[in-house]
Amino acid sequence: RLQKGWTSPVYAFFEPTPNIEYTDGRRSHVFKCLGKNCKQHVRRYLDKGDAKSTSNMMKHIKSCWGEPAYEAVQDARTAQLARTTVVQDILKTGSITTAFERKGKGKVTYSHRQHTKTETKAEIVRWVAESSCPFEMVNDQGFQSLMKTGRPEYYLPSPSTVSRDVKLVFTRVRHRIARMLQSYEGELNFTTDAWTAPNHKVFVAISVHLEHEGQPLAILLNIVEVAKASELIKVRINKKTNWTTTSHILVRTWQKHSQKYCQTSECQTR
């Protein structure tokens, strides 16, 4: 009869049927954690006013499974639903990322297991690329302390390895974008923007705009230094000269670098 009221998602992390034990004549339910290699039990005495309290179970879940795992089951209406949609995935894959995505949560996800060597390299490539971190960051003492404390054997790549991996990923992504643009059935809109850096070097940015899966998508294709920067500077200094020369330089720069992404002459001159 008591089990009918155990609908809280926290029960999903424990065996469905607890053991009944007696201690000094006091009856209690002992819940065994489902975590791998976990030998902890949560005891709940039935002669107390908080006989249905789940506070100790919640504390154990957070320390054993982690906060993300606990948060992942909060939207489940019953313990059975949480057990089949979240806990079983964690026990099978060791990760709650799949469970988060399946539940449609729009938040950052973290895995319940440690990264493999390949996954670590991939995550570091993403980190240095998105956060503009120097490759030497992996040798930083503070960073290594954060990564290796509690797991001194954890693999961290060298700066040269990170540099090589970033270049490799860049090359593969560029080829992937090229194939996507070449096979795109709709219209592609290319834009350019030019500016002069404080060191008097002139750069041109080339981007493409398209609709992808019903959503507008803008991709920065390249940023290149204009070879004839002196001509652009002269145009800006000499007020009598119009911007025709500038336009010709931009067009030549675009035609040169667009070949990496487009093969047809129509695409290159659009």
Side-chain angles (χ1 to χ4, degrees), residues 141-203:
Q141 182 178 358
F143 174 73
Q144 292 202 358
S145 176
L146 288 172
M147 298 300 295
K148 289 180 173 290
T149 298
R151 45 183 182 179
E153 76 289 348
Y154 188 76
Y155 168 80
L156 287 176
S158 65
S160 60
T161 299
V162 176
S163 174
R164 183 195 63 198
D165 291 342
V166 168
K167 294 175 183 177
L168 178 62
V169 170
F170 171 78
T171 301
R172 292 182 177 177
V173 170
R174 184 174 65 179
H175 290 164
R176 181 179 178 183
I177 293 177
R179 290 194 299 269
M180 182 184 73
L181 297 181
Q182 292 165 12
S183 61
Y184 188 72
E185 297 181 354
E187 291 188 358
L188 299 175
N189 299 282
F190 294 92
T191 59
T192 61
D193 186 22
W195 69 94
T196 303
N199 59 1
H200 304 295
K201 291 186 177 181
V202 180
F203 296 90

Side-chain angles (χ1 to χ4, degrees), residues 7-13 61 73-79 82-83 87:
T7 58
S8 172
V10 300
Y11 289 98
F13 295 93
I61 293 170
V73 301
Q74 293 311 298
D75 289 340
R77 290 172 294 180
T78 64
R83 185 178 290 110
V87 177

Side-chain angles (χ1 to χ4, degrees), residues 2 25 29 78 80 117 125 129 132 142 188 196 226 233 254 268:
L2 292 175
H29 285 159
T78 64
Q80 180 61 27
K117 179 178 179 179
V125 166
S132 301
L188 299 175
T196 303
V226 180
I233 295 175
W254 160 242
Q268 295 174 15

Side-chain angles (χ1 to χ4, degrees), residues 13-15 19 21 29-43 56-57 59-61 63-65:
F13 295 93
F14 299 86
E15 291 187 352
N19 294 327
E21 297 182 2
H29 285 159
V30 180
F31 296 86
K32 184 179 184 304
C33 178
L34 291 175
K36 295 181 179 179
N37 302 321
C38 180
K39 299 180 180 180
Q40 294 296 320
H41 298 75
V42 176
R43 184 182 301 274
N56 288 334
M57 302 173 77
K59 292 178 182 178
H60 177 74
I61 293 170
S63 63
C64 180
W65 298 74

Side-chain angles (χ1 to χ4, degrees), residues 17-267:
T17 303
N19 294 327
I20 299 178
E21 297 182 2
Y22 290 86
T23 305
D24 296 331
R26 301 177 62 189
R27 188 182 182 188
S28 64
H29 285 159
V30 180
F31 296 86
K32 184 179 184 304
C33 178
L34 291 175
K36 295 181 179 179
N37 302 321
C38 180
K39 299 180 180 180
Q40 294 296 320
H41 298 75
V42 176
R43 184 182 301 274
R44 195 163 64 185
Y45 289 98
L46 302 182
D47 58 355
K48 299 177 61 177
D50 58 350
K52 296 182 179 180
S53 173
T54 59
S55 59
N56 288 334
M57 302 173 77
M58 292 167 51
K59 292 178 182 178
H60 177 74
I61 293 170
K62 293 178 180 180
S63 63
C64 180
W65 298 74
E67 286 274 1
Y70 173 76
E71 294 294 335
V73 301
Q74 293 311 298
D75 289 340
R77 290 172 294 180
T78 64
Q80 180 61 27
L81 181 61
R83 185 178 290 110
T84 56
T85 60
V86 178
V87 177
Q88 287 185 2
D89 281 341
I90 298 176
L91 292 174
K92 179 185 290 186
T93 66
S95 172
I96 66 170
T97 299
T98 302
F100 267 105
E101 294 173 348
R102 181 175 298 174
K103 293 171 67 63
K105 286 184 174 289
K107 59 175 65 176
V108 178
T109 59
Y110 299 97
S111 176
H112 190 63
R113 61 175 176 81
Q114 182 173 298
H115 285 308
T116 64
K117 179 178 179 179
T118 301
E119 289 171 341
T120 297
K121 294 172 66 176
E123 287 296 331
I124 289 181
V125 166
R126 173 183 292 182
W127 171 52
V128 299
E130 293 182 351
S131 302
S132 301
C133 296
F135 301 148
E136 288 290 338
M137 180 64 74
V138 293
N139 279 343
D140 181 77
Q141 182 178 358
F143 174 73
Q144 292 202 358
S145 176
L146 288 172
M147 298 300 295
K148 289 180 173 290
T149 298
R151 45 183 182 179
E153 76 289 348
Y154 188 76
Y155 168 80
L156 287 176
S158 65
S160 60
T161 299
V162 176
S163 174
R164 183 195 63 198
D165 291 342
V166 168
K167 294 175 183 177
L168 178 62
V169 170
F170 171 78
T171 301
R172 292 182 177 177
V173 170
R174 184 174 65 179
H175 290 164
R176 181 179 178 183
I177 293 177
R179 290 194 299 269
M180 182 184 73
L181 297 181
Q182 292 165 12
S183 61
Y184 188 72
E185 297 181 354
E187 291 188 358
L188 299 175
N189 299 282
F190 294 92
T191 59
T192 61
D193 186 22
W195 69 94
T196 303
N199 59 1
H200 304 295
K201 291 186 177 181
V202 180
F203 296 90
V204 175
I206 304 168
S207 59
V208 61
H209 305 262
L210 64 150
E211 181 181 341
H212 181 66
E213 298 181 352
Q215 298 294 328
L217 178 64
I219 303 176
L220 177 63
L221 298 179
N222 208 347
I223 298 179
V224 296
E225 181 180 357
V226 180
K228 296 186 178 181
S230 58
E231 293 189 22
L232 285 176
I233 295 175
K234 289 179 181 178
V235 169
R236 296 195 177 197
I237 294 177
N238 188 354
K239 297 182 180 180
K240 296 181 180 180
T241 306
N242 57 35
W243 286 92
T244 303
T245 304
T246 304
S247 300
H248 289 167
I249 295 175
L250 294 180
V251 169
R252 289 197 298 270
T253 302
W254 160 242
Q255 290 176 337
K256 176 181 177 181
H257 292 276
S258 63
Q259 296 175 0
K260 299 177 181 178
Y261 304 97
C262 302
Q263 294 178 339
T264 62
S265 58
E266 179 183 357
C267 176

